[in-house]
Amino acid sequence: MRDDSLITSYRVVIVTLDAHAAGPAARVETQLAAEYPGLSVSVHSAAEWAENEDALENARAAVQQADIVVANLLFLEEHINAILPDLEEARERADAFIGMIADAQIVRLTKMGDLDMSKPASTAMRLLKKLRGSSKPSGASGEKQMKLLRRLPRILKFIPGKAQDLRAWFLTMQYWLGGSDDNIEEMLRFLLGRYATGQSWDVQIAKAPIDYPDVGLYHPDLKGRITTNIDDLPKPAKPVATVGLLMMRSYVLASDTAHYDAVIRSLEAKGVRCLPAFAGGLDGRPA
């Protein structure tokens, strides 16, 4: 464990596939600065490592100094091998290590209080297998998995002992999958309040994750930007055509939409009605 007497700052490090989570993390870090003096939050994108050696070295250095590590969406062997030794070392030293939505090697590194996913046949791993569902993904199976993910923390809330750290793991996943600024802020507040040591922060209780639709519609001019009602979308008075635009839900929630917005504006300027729809994951068929 860390020597708390040497703490001058507190570092939360997020290692993930791409960089669209960096926007919410940067905005949230600014908002939390007064409440959590010394807090730093950094996001490191594995997708950059092959072409940018400095990005990999920065990620490794950050993990080596991290107080809490969140690792997710790491599935490719080249990404895992590049950072795994540093993650393994951090697991033994940090206040908490959260591995989720990733290769089994990463998930097994999870260590949160009494929850240790490196132990064989743990309750957590059995629940995780159930959450994975069918080996043949479909919109229906994905919807069932999300319902289970939302239900489990409510059930585990009433089971004392080690189940509370398992609940914390599921809640962290729920915050992350609903990756808006609000959810990332509350995820950090939740993890800091439960696992951070050596600090004298006046920690507030984290709010529950905000649920967003798994499938929906988006437009930059909408209040809240998201709807499930097609009639809410603006349209030209006399559209010359209608075009559907398939988007990724995670980018919409993270407000990383400049590229989508440019396409929408361009189509509308030509008199085309645009129907921007999003779905979770890489399978956009539900949208």
Side-chain angles (χ1 to χ4, degrees):
M1 295 296 290
R2 298 174 299 112
D3 182 352
D4 292 340
S5 66
L6 300 178
I7 294 177
T8 57
S9 62
Y10 198 91
R11 304 174 183 89
V12 177
V13 174
I14 300 172
V15 183
T16 187
L17 177 61
D18 57 40
H20 69 266
R27 292 188 290 269
V28 164
E29 181 183 26
T30 301
Q31 293 171 6
L32 294 177
E35 187 177 343
Y36 298 88
L39 175 66
S40 69
V41 182
S42 62
V43 178
H44 302 271
S45 167
E48 299 176 357
W49 297 346
E51 298 180 357
N52 186 343
E53 188 174 335
D54 288 342
L56 172 58
E57 292 306 312
N58 289 339
R60 294 186 61 203
V63 169
Q64 290 165 10
Q65 300 180 66
D67 299 297
I68 291 178
V69 177
V70 178
N72 62 72
L73 297 178
L74 299 177
F75 293 102
L76 297 181
E77 185 176 356
E78 62 185 277
H79 294 162
I80 295 169
N81 290 343
I83 198 78
L84 186 59
D86 303 286
L87 296 178
E88 290 173 334
E89 186 277 332
R91 177 188 192 270
E92 301 305 319
R93 171 188 47 76
D95 288 337
F97 187 106
I98 303 95
M100 57 185 183
I101 322 168
D103 185 86
Q105 294 180 83
I106 303 299
V107 175
R108 281 196 294 265
L109 293 176
T110 296
K111 193 173 183 181
M112 305 167 69
D114 290 329
L115 176 63
D116 185 345
M117 287 196 181
S118 67
K119 296 179 179 179
S122 67
T123 301
M125 296 309 290
R126 290 196 296 270
L127 283 171
L128 182 57
K129 287 181 180 179
K130 186 174 182 180
L131 189 61
R132 285 174 181 161
S134 171
S135 59
K136 297 179 180 179
S138 68
S141 65
E143 185 178 353
K144 289 179 181 178
Q145 291 166 26
M146 289 304 298
K147 286 181 179 178
L148 178 61
L149 175 61
R150 295 186 182 107
R151 190 182 306 124
L152 278 171
R154 299 170 190 166
I155 298 172
L156 293 170
K157 182 178 181 179
F158 301 101
I159 304 175
K162 294 182 179 180
Q164 292 309 299
D165 289 308
L166 178 57
R167 176 177 181 265
W169 182 75
F170 278 111
L171 274 175
T172 304
M173 194 189 311
Q174 199 173 335
Y175 281 120
W176 180 262
L177 289 172
S180 63
D181 286 23
D182 289 335
N183 274 339
I184 297 301
E185 177 178 346
E186 296 306 321
M187 180 189 80
L188 291 169
R189 196 185 302 279
F190 175 72
L191 291 174
L192 293 169
R194 186 170 181 87
Y195 297 108
T197 62
Q199 302 296 322
S200 57
W201 297 321
D202 183 14
V203 177
Q204 298 182 21
I205 297 175
K207 298 176 184 176
I210 299 172
D211 281 338
Y212 297 98
D214 297 324
V215 179
L217 299 162
Y218 164 87
H219 197 281
D221 293 339
L222 286 176
K223 183 179 180 180
R225 302 179 303 118
I226 292 174
T227 184
T228 55
N229 185 352
I230 195 171
D231 293 330
D232 292 339
L233 295 177
K235 61 181 178 180
K238 295 181 179 180
V240 298
T242 299
V243 173
L245 176 63
L246 190 59
M247 311 169 66
M248 291 188 68
R249 178 178 180 270
S250 58
Y251 280 76
V252 172
L253 296 183
S255 299
D256 187 5
T257 57
H259 51 312
Y260 292 134
D261 295 347
V263 173
I264 293 168
R265 300 295 190 200
S266 177
L267 290 170
E268 291 179 340
K270 295 177 173 63
V272 175
R273 185 186 187 192
C274 186
L275 303 179
F278 64 83
L282 298 176
D283 184 358
R285 286 176 294 178

